[in-house]
Structures are given as structure tokens and as C-alpha cells.
Amino acid sequence: MSVSSLRSFDYLESLPGTVFNRLYQQPSTALAIFRRMLTHLAKSFVMAMLYISHPLPVTDLESWVRADSRRERDHALSLLERLHVLSTASLNPGQPRAYTLTNPFAASLRLALTGGGNHRSFGIPCSTPAKNPVTIAELDNIARGQWEGVLGYMVGSTGIDLSDSAVKLSHGVRTLLQLGGLVEIRGKKVEITQDGFAFILQEVNAQVWTVLVLYLENAESLQMDPVDVLSFLFMLGSLELGQDYSKTTLTPTQIQMLDDLGDFGIVYHPSPTSSRFYPTRLATTLTSDAGALRSVSAGFDNALRSADGKGFIVIETNYRIYAYTSSQLQIAILQLFTRLSTRYPNMVAGKITRESIRRAVGMGITSDQIISFLSTHAHPQMRKNNPVLPPTVVDQIRLWQIEGERMKATVGFLFKDFVSTAEYEAPCRYAEEIGVLVWKNDARRMFFVTRHEQIATYLKNKPKNLKSAQVG
């Protein structure tokens, strides 16, 4: 699953089953979940079962996967169950369990793949031509301008004037960024947070999904139906770039969303009275896979990445840094952790210092994020080196951070109170196999994991004479 899917998946996973039943009424939603949220193995399971009219015994499905791929199989099945795509049941009392695709997901996905019906969940193209048609290039410029305005507002704490390259953001956009913990307002000053800098480092599609999940989390407070909101977002991902679509089939909630999403450049709504709207590139790539997304992001020419994919940063062993860029946004981001001293039309120069790193750490930016940013945007000449960044610089950045830090917190779950060593070892070994084990203590029969769903399922399916452990 791509990085841009993780935040949206975590939100979906928290929804009750009744919400999924409503969501899956729309073929566009079922198709979007299938395309974006599922691993390749999970997709194979779904397609193999989509036209099977009877439940599939567990033993039959497990025989499709090699024995040495149990980790991938269990992860795929867990993913399908958490998204309410797959359910388990017994064929008859005393017989082995069987898997079946849930309805209406299966029916909606079949309809999305084969066509037909009058659901209109993939949008209704306008039947009459617009008086002033909007081209794809114009849509890209609109989306780029709005999105750079969001990023420019977030990094405005550097003191660099971004007014020439940014747009005026609405009060709702500024409030949403603050509620999401991406920025903090201290007095009249906007300061980027650790989560905000991590947001800046993401690819465009991941950034868009982060903002949309924040929007979803606050939908009820805005008296909006979360199901309507989600359905509209998944529909946008299936629309065609450059095509205008009619508002006539949209619900009142979705019509309200047009103005909100327009502030982010996700859609273009010519005017409140207009009967049509245009999805921008930010919308049409919402449900793209990771491979297609990268090429689209490059074509979008995001301010953080050159269109040709080349980096622009050169850093020396004496901590001097040179950035071959004229982008106000890129320079503002650099100034978050660098002391810039010289500026030319197409280059800025400065130095990474203890004070600049400590200032960045004080805003919540971590040394790993800074190193990741420098590596990602390293100049092609730097990429000829192995490693790309000078080790002395990398080590010193980390040392400057840990001067004021001695501990690192990890969110997770503690399993303890196992009755016997045998009962403890099996789930602990399984947690290590699926890659969620963080820490264990064999003497005290306890271990710590980052996710508990697959472990809980594993314990549930163990023989009844083995008691489940207590989760702390």
C-alpha cells in the first residue's frame, strides 16, 4: 500500500460496518477501494471470488498461496476483513470456515467492471458545451496556484514573503490546517509543526489525502454526512481530467463541498451559480496506483519537485549548502533548518548550524525528516556519491537533535499475562514474522507490537485450549 493510502486507510478502518454498507452502494466507491486500498494479493483474492456464487472454504483459498508466503496471505486477508470486503462463516455446523465477499461490495464492483445501471456514481458529463471552456493547462495552473498557496502558508514562519506565489486562503482552510496539527498559531505567527513538515515531504497525492481525511474528520461538526463526503471523493477519483460535469445529481452536502475543495485546488467551480464543475489533476489522481501517481506528480510540476525529477541541493562536508532554485517555496522550506546568507537569481547559499537545527527541532521537525529532505532533493552531482550525503553532516544533524532528547515514544500495544511459555512463543513468533514486533521479554512473557488486529485474529483462531493473552 502506498504512503498516500495509509492515512485514508486508517480513517476507513475506524468506520463501523453500517457506514461501509452505505458506501458500497456506489459502484465508484467499490472500484476505488479495490484499486487503491488493496494489495496485489488481496486484489487477486477478490477477483477470484467475485463470480463464485457459494462461500469458498478456508482450506481452498489457503492452497492458492505458497507456504512460504503465509505473511503476505494473512496480511491480505486481514486487510479485506478490516475493509468489510470479506467475511467468514461456517458452511455447516462442525465444518471448516469459509470466505465470502460481502454485499453490496461484490454487486457494486461487478457493476463497475461490466457497466450498466442508472446509479450515476461516476459523474454525469455536461451535455451542452461551456461558453468559456477550461483547458487542462488552465486547470493545472489553478490547482498549482491553490496548492502552492496552502504549502506557502504552512512554511510562512520562515519570514520569506510568499505573497507573489501564493493565493489568499479562506478562513476554513487555515482552520483545517490548524485543527489537523499541521501548523500552530502563536500570537499572530504561523509555525509549521513536526506533522506539518512530514506533510511537506510527502508526494502530492499523499498530501491531498491527508487534507481530505482532516476534512472528513471534521465533516460532522460542519453538519455534513460523512458517507456523502466519502462517496463524492471516491467519485472524483474516477472522473476525466478536462471534462466538465453536471451538478444536478449531487446532494446538498456534495454541492457544499465544491466550494471547500475549490479552496485547495481539487476542483474548479466557475461560480456559485454555475451548473458545472471541473475536476483538476489533484482530484483525478486520488485513486491512482503508486506507479501512475509518480508520473502524474512529476507532470504536475509540484513546487517541491522539479518536472524532470532532478534535485537542486548541494551540501559540503563543512556544512555549507547550495540550492539551485528560484522557487520561493523551496527556499522557505530550506530556511526552516538552514541559515541562509546569500541569494542569487537562481541560487541560494547558506550553512547548516547547531542553532538552525535546534530551531527546527523546537518546531517539532526531526533530524530524520531533515536528512530525508536533503537526500530526496540532492543534486544529480551529489547522487554520484555513495552515500549521497556526507556522513559527517548526517551524523552531526542527528547529534544536534539528541542533545535535548533522550527517549523516543512508539505507539503500540503490549501483550502480557500468558499462561505458559508455549502460549507466549507462538504469537510472539507470528508478530515477528509479519513485521509488527517492536520489543519482547521472554523471561516475563510479554511483547510489544505496533498493530494488534492480525495478532488478535491469530489468537482467536488458535485451538480453544489455549487462552488468549491480555492486551495492555
Side-chain angles (χ1 to χ4, degrees):
M1 186 182 298
S2 65
V3 174
S4 51
S5 302
L6 295 178
R7 185 75 186 266
S8 50
F9 174 76
D10 288 340
Y11 175 80
L12 287 172
E13 189 180 13
S14 67
L15 299 176
T18 52
V19 172
F20 279 96
N21 286 336
R22 290 181 59 195
L23 278 175
Y24 290 153
Q25 297 287 344
Q26 300 295 326
S28 59
T29 300
L31 182 61
I33 294 290
F34 176 82
R35 291 173 59 190
R36 180 159 194 82
M37 302 297 173
L38 303 186
T39 63
H40 292 301
L41 184 58
K43 290 177 182 179
S44 298
F45 288 157
V46 170
M47 291 306 299
M49 300 173 62
L50 189 58
Y51 292 95
I52 296 179
S53 59
H54 55 81
L56 183 70
V58 172
T59 52
D60 289 355
L61 186 142
E62 291 178 348
S63 67
W64 296 350
V65 183
R66 297 197 310 265
D68 59 352
S69 300
R70 186 179 70 170
R71 173 179 172 179
E72 290 79 4
R73 181 199 67 199
D74 290 349
H75 174 68
L77 294 175
S78 174
L79 188 64
L80 292 171
E81 289 178 344
R82 282 180 279 162
L83 289 174
H84 297 267
V85 173
L86 197 68
S87 63
T88 58
S90 297
L91 294 174
N92 291 303
Q95 290 189 354
R97 295 180 303 117
Y99 288 115
T100 182
L101 293 180
T102 59
N103 270 316
F105 176 85
S108 291
L109 183 58
R110 284 193 293 266
L111 193 59
L113 296 176
T114 59
N118 58 355
H119 49 84
R120 298 183 175 183
S121 68
F122 291 99
I124 303 298
C126 288
S127 56
T128 57
K131 293 182 179 179
N132 300 302
V134 182
T135 66
I136 292 178
E138 291 172 331
L139 289 174
D140 281 348
N141 288 333
I142 292 169
R144 183 186 296 108
Q146 293 294 133
W147 198 251
E148 286 184 1
V150 174
L151 301 181
Y153 172 78
M154 292 177 59
V155 300
S157 58
T158 60
I160 293 179
D161 183 12
L162 298 173
S163 58
D164 292 338
S165 59
V167 295
K168 297 297 182 182
L169 299 186
S170 67
H171 175 72
V173 171
R174 297 195 300 269
T175 302
L176 188 63
L177 295 176
Q178 186 178 358
L179 290 175
L182 302 180
V183 297
E184 291 180 352
I185 309 297
R186 298 180 182 177
K188 295 184 178 181
K189 188 177 181 181
V190 179
E191 290 194 357
I192 192 170
T193 64
Q194 176 180 343
D195 289 341
F197 193 74
F199 173 87
I200 292 292
L201 295 179
Q202 293 174 341
E203 60 190 5
V204 180
N205 191 269
Q207 292 174 345
V208 174
W209 267 113
T210 299
V211 168
L212 292 180
V213 170
L214 293 178
Y215 187 80
L216 282 164
E217 291 172 346
N218 292 277
E220 291 188 8
S221 63
L222 300 174
Q223 297 182 338
M224 303 172 74
D225 184 356
V227 175
D228 262 358
V229 174
L230 263 175
S231 297
F232 186 58
L233 295 179
F234 285 130
M235 183 194 79
L236 287 177
S238 66
L239 302 184
E240 181 182 350
L241 182 64
Q243 173 67 53
D244 51 343
Y245 290 87
S246 173
K247 292 167 47 180
T248 55
T249 59
L250 302 184
T251 65
T253 292
Q254 294 169 348
I255 292 176
Q256 179 184 342
M257 287 177 64
L258 289 178
D259 291 332
D260 296 335
L261 297 182
D263 289 338
F264 289 102
I266 297 173
V267 298
Y268 173 59
H269 191 207
S271 70
T273 58
S274 175
S275 61
R276 66 188 70 220
F277 70 94
Y278 297 81
T280 69
R281 198 179 299 272
L282 294 179
T284 57
T285 58
L286 280 175
T287 55
S288 299
D289 56 28
L293 178 62
R294 291 189 179 276
S295 59
V296 171
S297 296
F300 184 74
D301 191 18
N302 176 31
L304 296 182
R305 299 181 189 273
S306 303
D308 55 7
K310 293 182 180 179
F312 59 92
I313 295 175
V314 174
I315 185 167
E316 299 177 338
T317 54
N318 60 0
Y319 310 104
R320 294 286 299 178
I321 188 169
Y322 306 90
Y324 294 89
T325 178
S326 58
S327 167
Q328 296 278 46
L329 182 56
Q330 290 173 340
I331 295 170
I333 294 172
L334 274 177
Q335 193 157 333
L336 291 172
F337 57 86
T338 306
R339 181 171 61 84
L340 298 181
S341 57
T342 309
R343 181 168 182 178
Y344 299 100
N346 64 341
M347 188 193 78
V348 293
K351 191 173 185 178
I352 294 178
T353 65
R354 179 178 182 272
E355 291 73 22
S356 66
I357 295 297
R358 293 296 298 277
R359 183 181 70 246
V361 170
M363 290 188 291
I365 301 171
T366 68
S367 59
D368 287 338
Q369 289 176 327
I370 294 172
I371 293 166
S372 174
F373 179 84
L374 294 173
S375 299
T376 301
H377 302 289
H379 192 277
Q381 197 67 28
M382 292 284 295
R383 296 189 178 278
K384 296 178 181 179
N385 304 329
N386 187 17
V388 175
L389 302 180
T392 53
V393 175
V394 172
D395 293 342
Q396 190 60 63
I397 291 175
R398 290 198 170 105
L399 287 173
W400 280 330
Q401 176 183 346
I402 64 176
E403 284 180 357
E405 298 179 5
R406 293 294 181 268
M407 298 181 66
K408 179 181 178 181
T410 301
V411 179
F413 305 87
L414 179 67
F415 283 76
K416 60 181 182 178
D417 298 339
F418 289 92
V419 176
S420 64
T421 302
E423 186 182 272
Y424 156 78
E425 288 179 345
C428 183
R429 190 182 310 111
Y430 179 72
E432 189 170 9
E433 289 176 356
I434 63 176
V436 298
L437 181 67
V438 176
W439 170 88
K440 65 178 180 179
N441 188 317
D442 295 335
R444 299 178 63 182
R445 295 176 189 164
M446 51 200 314
F447 61 90
F448 187 83
V449 297
T450 53
R451 298 190 69 92
H452 68 88
E453 295 86 359
Q454 289 175 261
I455 308 298
T457 302
Y458 176 84
L459 292 171
K460 181 181 177 181
N461 294 335
K462 293 291 288 181
K464 294 183 178 180
N465 59 346
L466 291 179
K467 298 180 179 179
S468 298
Q470 176 181 341
V471 182

